[in-house]
Amino acid sequence: MDSDTPPAEVLDELFATIQDRKETLPEGSYTASLFTHEKGQNAVLEKLGEETTETILAAKDGDDEELLAESADLVYHLLVLLAMEDRDLDDLRLELRDRF
Ligand SMILES: N=c1c2ncn([C@@H]3O[C@H](COP(=O)(O)OP(=O)(O)OP(=O)(O)O)[C@@H](O)[C@H]3O)c2ncn1[C@@H]1O[C@H](COP(=O)(O)O)[C@@H](O)[C@H]1O
């Protein structure tokens, strides 16, 4: 993915990158480190908790820039969790669509 990626494609490209990291486990990759962490799933779950709290605090502070940054951290870690649980981005889309 690069800065030319259309916004509508970013989540798909990010999820594909996360799945690639899960399969190839490259050295130096933070994403790969979450799949190999000695804490296992808890490593991601703890980050989800942290990023949720940081997102809440940014919203309470009315800090729009920080809100976006922490929301991005939160969404990224949620995508890592879905990949870890062998779910696909379409699974999430279908779940949301079924609520229309
Ligand atoms: N989108 C992300 C992404 N968002 C957050 N993070 C990492 O998640 C961690 C967040 O932890 P922290 O909140 O403690 O770090 P922080 O945000 O600097 O600190 P705070 O200010 O939030 O407290 C940081 O290490 C970030 O680098 C991400 N790491 C990777 N990606 C994407 O994943 C792709 C693969 O990256 P690698 O992990 O390098 O393979 C990249 O190209 C990016 O597109």
Side-chain angles (χ1 to χ4, degrees):
M1 176 161 44
D2 57 42
S3 55
D4 294 332
T5 301
E9 296 173 16
V10 167
L11 288 180
D12 286 286
E13 291 214 15
L14 173 56
F15 194 74
T17 301
I18 291 168
Q19 289 179 311
D20 170 74
R21 298 298 190 268
K22 177 184 176 184
E23 298 310 317
T24 61
L25 300 175
E27 286 291 314
S29 162
Y30 169 77
T31 304
S33 74
L34 291 173
F35 289 105
T36 58
H37 200 289
E38 60 183 9
K39 289 184 181 177
Q41 185 192 61
N42 282 347
V44 181
L45 299 181
E46 286 172 10
K47 289 305 293 180
L48 277 173
E50 276 177 38
E51 302 303 344
T52 299
T53 301
E54 289 169 7
T55 301
I56 290 168
L57 293 176
K60 279 183 66 67
D61 293 345
D63 186 336
D64 287 350
E65 198 172 309
E66 186 66 7
L67 174 61
L68 269 185
E70 298 302 348
S71 298
D73 281 351
L74 178 56
V75 168
Y76 159 79
H77 285 94
L78 184 58
L79 295 182
V80 171
L81 178 63
L82 290 177
M84 187 175 282
E85 299 302 308
D86 297 319
R87 302 316 301 239
D88 193 277
L89 203 45
D90 276 345
D91 295 332
L92 181 62
R93 288 193 182 100
L94 289 171
E95 172 64 31
L96 289 166
R97 187 185 69 182
D98 289 348
R99 298 175 180 191
F100 282 178

